[in-house]
Amino acid sequence: MRKYLLIGVSAFVLGAGTMAYVSPIAQATSASKGETYKMLELFGDVLQTVDNQYVSEVDNKKLIEAALDGMLTSLDPHSGYLSPDSFEDMQDTTRGEYGGLGIEVTSEDGVVKVISPMDGTPASRAGIQAGDYITAVNGQSVLGLTVNEAVKQMRGAAGEVVTLTIAREKTDPFDVKLTREVIKPKAAIARMEGDYGYVRLPGFNEKATDALTASINELKAKNPQMKGLIFDLRNNPGGLLDQAVGVSSVFLDGGEVVSQRGRDPRDIQRYNAKPGGDILKGLPVVVLINQGSASAAEIVAGALQDRHRAELVGITSFGKGSVQTVIPLRGGADGALKLTTARYFTPSGRSIQKTGIAPDLEVAQTKDQAQDIANRVWFSEASFKNALNADEGKSRQGVHTPAEAPPTGFDDKKGDFQLQRAIAVLKAGSVEAVPKLPKPQAKIAEVTAKAAAAAGKGPPVEKK
């Protein structure tokens, strides 16, 4: 700050003798900066008062770090300050190996909320679900803590037992005991489903593109008559942008994957797939998505949908369509800023932010999920009060009856209904050609809404 102020004063003195006229814009800018300096002075006064008069001694470093994080998280849910330790943890995560429980979390009104558990991790095996609230760690409340502080409590040495207190809709709070592990997310999981290949990508770490390429090539080598591929991005919380572009390049022969647009409308950066990258040579692809598909997963799904390279089956994705730039401070010695600097757009110009990516064939995974979609607004990016708006002003679809759901008698615990429908789409040749199942019966919320609308006491019911 001192260096910045000295440079500013020098520039003013050098310019004073050559410019007698100060424009209204310059005056407004000067007044704005004056107000900023006044508020910074106020911050210093408050810090000093707390330091002198608080009931017990305080750690000024922690106070300032909390103030920095609070300033940034007030902008949107994904901006924040990373302490040096948190910055190092983030780097470990993107490298694809770290100690912890395997949960992707965020913060909502001071409460830690699960975006999705990662495949093959303690959290996934314990049955933790997207949308769960974590209210305590080892009996200590995490309410009001930043995400970084809460995550720090959940991470630690492998082999240690951690107890999470979970709050979930329609149930009383309950404790879950998990044993920390060195988290090594599987980069890709591959197998055959009859005549069709199946590859699941749990996340977008540094190994994602290479692992996906190797998995598909192995399937092709062992099954030269493979007729198509199901690409599973469900509960994939995203990760690195360059890996999203790389993964898209596995299916696309050049062309745009995604663009990002910043504050200046002219500030557009486009990312293209590599030419000659479609290793499936045009074989049909169906992508599975759900409410836990976020960020990089949505970029890939949106790109393959817009470029007519794949059709999407499942339910609408999370809607995290903003770009965070990690800006190290003093090379990381003072931590880093994680700052939202742009929005993502699909090749056709759709914003992912808040609205998410809608599937070509909407399929609920279970009967309970179909009931939930018809009765309540699902947890998504749009749930955050300070979420960045979608640039074109569109809104996310509200409560409605999904197009398809498992029929009576289907065993949700043994069968994967969305996967079955994806295979049916591949066999039929397209979503348009696949025989449609009867639409689920109207749910409680829809029936109630229809009655209210008929009585003139509520808004018209959405028809779909």
Side-chain angles (χ1 to χ4, degrees):
M1 177 62 72
R2 183 178 180 84
K3 184 178 290 185
Y4 173 80
L5 289 173
L6 286 173
I7 293 171
V9 169
S10 299
F12 176 77
V13 171
L14 287 171
T18 57
M19 185 182 298
Y21 171 73
V22 180
S23 73
I25 295 176
Q27 289 178 359
T29 303
S30 178
S32 176
K33 287 186 177 180
E35 183 66 21
T36 300
Y37 296 143
K38 181 180 177 182
M39 296 306 294
L40 287 173
E41 186 178 355
L42 173 62
F43 176 81
D45 292 342
V46 171
L47 182 65
Q48 184 176 10
T49 301
V50 172
D51 190 31
N52 292 335
Q53 299 186 29
Y54 188 67
V55 65
S56 58
E57 287 191 12
V58 297
D59 184 333
N60 284 338
K61 182 174 182 292
K62 287 185 177 179
L63 285 178
I64 293 171
E65 286 182 347
L68 290 172
D69 193 59
M71 174 181 67
L72 293 164
T73 55
S74 72
L75 299 172
D76 69 84
H78 307 293
S79 293
Y81 170 73
L82 302 174
S83 68
D85 288 344
S86 297
F87 181 44
E88 186 175 348
D89 287 344
M90 187 208 69
Q91 291 175 306
D92 289 341
T93 301
T94 57
R95 282 193 290 265
E97 182 175 324
Y98 56 94
L101 304 175
I103 318 173
E104 186 80 11
V105 296
T106 187
S107 178
E108 182 182 41
D109 294 332
V111 183
V112 178
K113 197 164 188 179
V114 176
I115 293 179
S116 65
M118 301 175 189
D119 286 358
T121 63
S124 176
R125 293 194 295 270
I128 290 176
Q129 301 176 9
D132 283 349
Y133 291 97
I134 300 172
T135 60
V137 178
N138 291 329
Q140 297 294 313
S141 174
V142 294
L143 299 177
L145 296 185
T146 66
V147 172
N148 294 331
E149 290 170 336
V151 167
K152 192 172 183 179
Q153 291 193 27
M154 287 184 270
R155 285 188 177 179
E160 292 181 349
V161 176
V162 180
T163 301
L164 301 183
T165 302
I166 303 295
R168 180 180 296 168
E169 288 197 25
K170 301 179 182 179
T171 65
D172 294 328
F174 57 94
D175 288 342
V176 179
K177 287 188 176 181
L178 307 95
T179 302
R180 289 192 185 107
E181 295 179 0
V182 175
I183 303 298
K184 297 180 179 179
K186 294 180 179 179
I189 302 161
R191 64 175 185 266
M192 290 297 294
E193 292 283 345
D195 293 331
Y196 302 96
Y198 169 92
V199 178
R200 168 158 177 74
L201 194 65
F204 285 81
N205 59 34
E206 293 176 354
K207 305 170 186 176
T209 302
D210 290 342
L212 175 64
T213 302
S215 295
I216 292 177
N217 283 334
E218 185 176 348
L219 286 175
K220 287 170 58 184
K222 292 181 179 179
N223 306 275
Q225 303 304 314
M226 187 172 75
K227 296 181 179 179
L229 183 78
I230 300 112
F231 185 34
D232 193 348
L233 292 176
R234 291 175 295 181
N235 293 325
N236 183 315
L240 301 172
L241 173 61
D242 67 330
Q243 292 299 311
V245 176
V247 165
S248 299
S249 295
V250 172
F251 302 99
L252 297 172
D253 182 8
E256 185 173 320
V257 171
V258 66
S259 64
Q260 62 181 50
R261 308 177 192 183
R263 180 190 298 184
D264 187 339
R266 297 168 296 180
D267 182 16
I268 301 176
Q269 189 168 358
R270 302 185 187 278
Y271 297 88
N272 296 323
K274 295 179 181 178
D278 184 3
I279 64 175
L280 286 169
K281 306 301 180 186
L283 281 178
V285 177
V286 169
V287 178
L288 287 170
I289 60 171
N290 67 2
Q291 78 282 4
S293 306
S295 189
E298 295 176 283
I299 289 173
V300 173
L304 298 186
Q305 185 182 51
D306 277 8
R307 299 283 305 280
H308 306 291
R309 182 62 187 91
E311 291 189 293
L312 275 49
V313 171
I315 60 176
T316 301
S317 63
F318 186 76
K320 197 272 183 182
S322 58
V323 184
Q324 281 68 52
T325 301
V326 177
I327 306 169
L329 303 172
R330 267 200 332 123
D334 287 336
L337 301 183
K338 187 175 67 168
L339 193 64
T340 299
T341 54
R343 292 179 177 88
Y344 287 125
F345 289 80
T346 68
S348 68
R350 290 184 294 161
S351 171
I352 298 169
Q353 180 61 18
K354 275 192 174 181
T355 55
I357 299 294
D360 298 292
L361 178 61
E362 185 186 33
V363 180
Q365 176 74 339
T366 65
K367 293 182 285 291
D368 286 343
Q369 187 180 76
Q371 181 76 20
D372 285 342
I373 293 172
N375 277 273
R376 63 186 177 90
V377 176
W378 276 62
F379 171 60
S380 69
E381 179 77 7
S383 303
F384 297 113
K385 292 180 181 178
N386 64 333
L388 195 68
N389 286 327
D391 196 42
E392 70 272 30
K394 293 182 179 178
S395 59
R396 190 179 181 90
Q397 186 178 20
V399 294
H400 64 284
T401 301
E404 293 189 0
T408 302
F410 185 86
D411 190 338
D412 296 336
K413 295 182 179 179
K414 293 182 179 179
D416 186 337
F417 186 66
Q418 290 174 335
L419 175 59
Q420 288 188 11
R421 296 302 289 154
I423 294 171
V425 169
L426 287 174
K427 287 181 177 179
S430 68
V431 165
E432 184 178 2
V434 71
K436 303 300 186 295
L437 300 179
K439 189 170 183 177
Q441 293 182 352
K443 308 301 176 182
I444 295 172
E446 188 172 355
V447 171
T448 303
K450 282 181 178 178
K457 297 179 180 179
V461 176
E462 175 186 2
K463 296 180 179 179
K464 181 176 171 61

